[in-house]
Amino acid sequence: MTDTTQRSSDDRRALSADYTVPPIIAGAWQLSEGHSARAIDRDALFAAWDLLSAHGCDTLDCADIYTGVESLIGDYRAARPGRRVQVHTKFVPDREALAHVNRTSVTRVIDRSLARLRTDVLDLVQFHWWRYEVPGMLEVAGFLDDLRRDGKIRHLALTNTDTAHTQALLDGGIPLVATQVQYSVLDRRPAARLAPLAAARGMRLLCYGSVAGGFLGDVWRGTDAPTGTLENRSLIKYRLVIDDCGGWAALQTVLDVLADIAARHAVGIANVAQRWVLDQPAVGAVIVGFRSEASAQRTVATLGLSLTPADHAQLDAVLRTLPMPAGDVYAAERNPTSPHAGVIRYNLQGSVDP
């Protein structure tokens, strides 16, 4: 069942009684060093974030392990004094160091994020634990909760965590308000188990990958599959997702249906793909990367888009015929022998100096 209520730029969604997010959050994974050879134009990037803010989209998503990004956002916030800029970051200990994470190391990483982001409190910290078989996940989440009680963190969430371990942390008393997951018309893994749990426990899904790194866009419709080296890690990642979902021909089938719906609403394919995710149960926001005002301007059209029941039925009829990545959320990506593992960087903490 989907929610097709009319959306607008002031359609904020509550993560808690005192904290809301806009439907579109600006993501920053693609801005991290090593993600792409393409240089960042800071003026163009800041202008894109300004445009989003003018439409009520005042929230940025980053991570402690997105090299250079927390400091970049800190510079943006310093250049916009007086403007509300909500920032969601992450706490992602190195995969090979999980057994050594303790209260002191957690505090050092959180203090580093505070310094980089130039703030006294982190709005939302999203926690990830690479290896479930390594003990300590609940204990470390408890250290983060202690920092929340101390006033360094407002709210806690998860990122890329399966349903069973999400439930275990909730049952263990960790006050989670959200969980960040990959969710798109191609990757619908959250719908099976995680979304029902989130709805039952009062959590929201914050969804990246809604446009599959741009593959769910007008530019790829009617084209041959790309060959050679792709431009960045995002395209490499989502090309693998496409393979899991039936391959390039299946993608073209989905793009044709999205284009038909988009034409009826005078928007782009990406807008329909984003709105489909926003209409799914328990979803709080889509996380979308931007580098320019033009890309931000195209995306804000999603805010005013309302899909009809007929639109959903047309698209869902096609999606039911397609395979998708196997397992619970992030299962394939977590497996170090999976093709997806080649895109993942497991050990990026490095020094915890600011």
Side-chain angles (χ1 to χ4, degrees), residues 318-336:
V318 172
L319 299 183
R320 284 194 294 270
T321 69
L322 300 181
M324 64 178 179
D328 207 337
V329 298
Y330 212 66
E333 295 87 342
R334 188 177 290 277
N335 180 358

Side-chain angles (χ1 to χ4, degrees), residues 11-15 19-23 25 58-59 86 88 206 284-285:
D11 175 31
R12 300 185 70 88
R13 300 176 180 201
L15 301 191
Y19 190 72
T20 63
V21 294
I25 293 173
D58 57 5
T59 305
Q86 297 182 164
H88 298 175
L206 306 177

Side-chain angles (χ1 to χ4, degrees), residues 131-164:
R131 299 169 64 189
Y132 296 136
E133 71 274 16
V134 176
M137 185 179 185
L138 177 58
E139 182 182 26
V140 173
F143 297 154
L144 290 170
D145 193 32
D146 289 342
L147 293 172
R148 181 190 64 84
R149 296 173 190 275
D150 291 342
K152 291 187 176 184
I153 299 170
R154 284 200 175 93
H155 298 289
L156 295 178
L158 297 175
T159 181
N160 293 328
T161 304
D162 68 14
T163 308

